Amino acid sequence: MSTITDIRTVGITIADQDEAIAFYRDTLGFDVRLDVDGPTRWVEVAPIGADVSLALVAGDRPAGEITETGIRFNVPDAAAERDALSSRGVSVGELLMWPGVPPMFAFDDPDGNRFVIIEQAS
């Protein structure tokens, strides 16, 4: 039997950690949870109050390539969040609304990592 109890951090590859921190902190409003220099710099960001964080892992990114992360974020109002992100220059997709499924849309960070925003059920 495993002793794994939770998910702490999900890593995404970014080209420049300082630029990524600026996007996640200043554009999305995330907290910078860790920013530690060592043999390699380790950076974690997260929505305020979230249990799980994103590790911003520096690495090679093919220019213009989109990477589907599989990461979904909750918001109280997907349409309002889409409008807010779009007004801040974030690349957002169409608001999807299907019967029986919460409204959702995709957005990309400047490195081409794709995420989905889902309206939290009330």
Side-chain angles (χ1 to χ4, degrees), residues 47-113:
I48 295 170
D51 291 329
V52 178
S53 64
L54 295 177
L56 305 178
V57 181
D60 293 329
R61 294 274 320 172
E65 185 176 302
I66 298 296
T67 300
E68 176 60 56
T69 66
I71 298 170
R72 285 22 182 176
F73 296 111
N74 284 335
V75 297
D77 183 332
E81 186 69 20
R82 183 185 178 282
D83 291 345
L85 290 177
S86 179
S87 73
R88 293 194 297 266
V90 177
S91 174
V92 297
E94 176 185 351
L95 182 64
L96 303 174
M97 299 178 69
W98 300 306
V101 177
M104 67 183 78
F105 67 93
F107 77 92
D108 302 333
D109 75 5
D111 286 295
N113 291 297

Side-chain angles (χ1 to χ4, degrees), residues 10-86:
V10 176
I12 59 169
T13 304
I14 49 85
D16 181 282
Q17 287 172 311
D18 291 321
E19 288 178 12
I21 288 170
F23 174 77
Y24 286 93
R25 181 192 59 218
D26 303 338
T27 303
L28 298 184
F30 284 19
D31 274 337
V32 177
R33 297 241 176 115
L34 283 174
D35 188 350
V36 179
D37 283 323
T40 59
R41 184 176 178 195
W42 186 257
V43 177
E44 291 182 20
V45 297
I48 295 170
D51 291 329
V52 178
S53 64
L54 295 177
L56 305 178
V57 181
D60 293 329
R61 294 274 320 172
E65 185 176 302
I66 298 296
T67 300
E68 176 60 56
T69 66
I71 298 170
R72 285 22 182 176
F73 296 111
N74 284 335
V75 297
D77 183 332
E81 186 69 20
R82 183 185 178 282
D83 291 345
L85 290 177
S86 179

